[in-house]
Amino acid sequence: MDKEKKKALAAEYVLSERPAGAFRLVHVESGKSFVGTTPDVNAMKNRILFQLKMGSNWIKALQNDWNEYGEDAFRYEVLELFKPPEDGMYNLKKELERMELEWLERLQPYGDKGYNKPPNDS
């Protein structure tokens, strides 16, 4: 690929919209899941899968289950996409924090049900 084509693709990427939102990675058999939010749900899928394949995910219980059961035992799901308000006034970081708290409350992915750290843990 020539330099000009690479530059054009890079510029296109910078201008493209990336979908922010809530996601979860689910161990299908047990139902255990990790819930989070990200400014780019597609990139996060790639990041988490890469980390798990490399054995370097920061969540040890998730990494252990991945090592034991393999990639086919897990499913990545987008739970909700962030829809900016029509007036365009918002703080993405705060909106994602709010969204994550709502999904954590709804799914309770703690202990036997998940890989997230319970809210009272430090």
Side-chain angles (χ1 to χ4, degrees):
M1 185 180 311
D2 67 23
K3 276 187 171 183
E4 290 305 313
K5 182 148 177 118
K6 283 183 182 179
K7 280 184 180 180
L9 288 173
E12 183 179 326
Y13 176 78
V14 168
L15 295 174
S16 69
E17 289 189 36
R18 289 175 280 290
F23 68 91
R24 74 176 176 164
L25 185 65
V26 182
H27 179 249
V28 178
E29 186 176 318
S30 70
K32 286 179 75 170
S33 62
F34 173 74
V35 173
T37 55
T38 178
D40 186 339
V41 293
N42 299 327
M44 180 56 74
K45 177 181 180 180
N46 294 335
R47 177 180 172 200
I48 287 178
L49 294 179
F50 178 79
Q51 288 174 341
L52 289 164
K53 289 175 186 177
M54 297 303 293
S56 63
N57 189 270
W58 71 98
I59 305 165
K60 296 303 174 204
L62 174 58
Q63 185 68 61
N64 291 340
D65 284 354
W66 178 277
N67 293 345
E68 182 175 346
Y69 299 105
E71 181 175 355
D72 291 340
F74 289 85
R75 180 179 66 236
Y76 181 87
E77 300 174 347
V78 175
L79 298 170
E80 179 182 1
L81 292 176
F82 173 69
K83 294 174 185 67
E86 288 185 23
D87 67 7
M89 302 296 291
Y90 64 92
N91 177 318
L92 183 59
K93 183 177 179 184
K94 287 184 189 260
E95 293 295 332
L96 291 176
E97 288 171 359
R98 178 197 54 76
M99 186 183 287
E100 184 168 328
L101 288 173
E102 287 177 8
W103 280 103
L104 290 171
E105 178 67 28
R106 189 179 305 175
L107 298 176
Q108 298 287 309
Y110 313 114
D112 292 341
K113 291 175 60 180
Y115 302 103
N116 289 79
K117 191 182 275 191
N120 295 334
D121 283 4
S122 46

